[in-house]
Amino acid sequence: PATVVITVKAYASKKINMDHVVPLARGGSSIKSNLVPCCKSCNNQKKNSLPIEWKEYLAIIGKKKE
């Protein structure tokens, strides 16, 4: 299993895809230093967010669940 950067969980290789740290839509590129493994579900939800924006969003919705 690969460790996914955004969720920090282990997933089978077929359940992950490559995520752009800086999304293409925000000027990122498909170079090795801008690609990280990410579960498909999180990658689809993250869309064009930067990692810090995604973490802040998760913190906000996590607080709403408490």
Side-chain angles (χ1 to χ4, degrees):
T3 300
V4 177
V5 175
I6 302 294
T7 59
V8 195
K9 293 181 183 178
Y11 288 90
S13 296
K14 64 183 177 182
K15 293 189 177 185
I16 62 171
N17 57 18
M18 297 309 292
D19 179 36
H20 292 83
V21 176
V22 178
L24 296 174
R26 294 181 72 172
S29 60
S30 293
I31 59 174
K32 188 160 78 169
S33 61
N34 192 43
L35 296 171
V36 294
C38 186
C39 70
K40 291 178 184 180
S41 173
C42 289
N43 198 9
N44 289 337
Q45 292 175 49
K46 180 181 160 283
K47 300 188 184 206
N48 292 325
S49 300
L50 296 172
I52 189 69
E53 296 166 338
W54 180 242
K55 288 179 183 178
E56 289 172 352
Y57 170 75
L58 292 176
I60 290 168
I61 64 168
K63 288 179 183 176
K64 289 181 180 178
K65 291 180 181 178
E66 293 176 355

